[in-house]
Amino acid sequence: MIGLETCHGLRFFSYLASHPWRPFCSERCKSIDFGAWASESYRVPTKPDAADIDALEQELECSNLQNRGQPH
């Protein structure tokens, strides 16, 4: 029996290969999980590489230039 994060551990089901929604307890939970990945609610943590850092620095610089002269 497996408790699921999507169901907040309240539903348990058999983890058999014949279970149609494995590794989920239902189609609903499968859809919720897929939707979370698709909307980027779930993310795999990574360390930024040099290109990411350069892009962030450029974005910050552009933002700072656009905000100059505007009253706070």
Side-chain angles (χ1 to χ4, degrees):
M1 303 298 260
I2 305 289
L4 295 173
E5 174 102 11
T6 304
C7 294
H8 304 288
L10 300 176
R11 295 183 185 183
F12 290 88
F13 69 96
S14 178
Y15 197 73
L16 298 174
S18 61
H19 183 70
W21 305 113
R22 181 181 169 192
F24 304 97
C25 65
S26 65
E27 182 177 17
R28 176 185 172 272
C29 285
K30 181 180 177 180
S31 295
I32 289 170
D33 187 77
F34 178 73
W37 279 107
S39 68
E40 298 184 358
S41 294
Y42 297 154
R43 296 183 181 182
V44 177
T46 62
K47 292 182 181 180
D49 61 17
D52 293 332
I53 293 170
D54 290 343
L56 289 170
E57 287 174 346
Q58 288 177 358
E59 185 178 322
L60 182 59
E61 185 177 316
C62 288
S63 176
N64 288 339
L65 290 174
Q66 289 175 354
N67 292 330
R68 279 192 188 157
Q70 293 182 3
H72 294 282

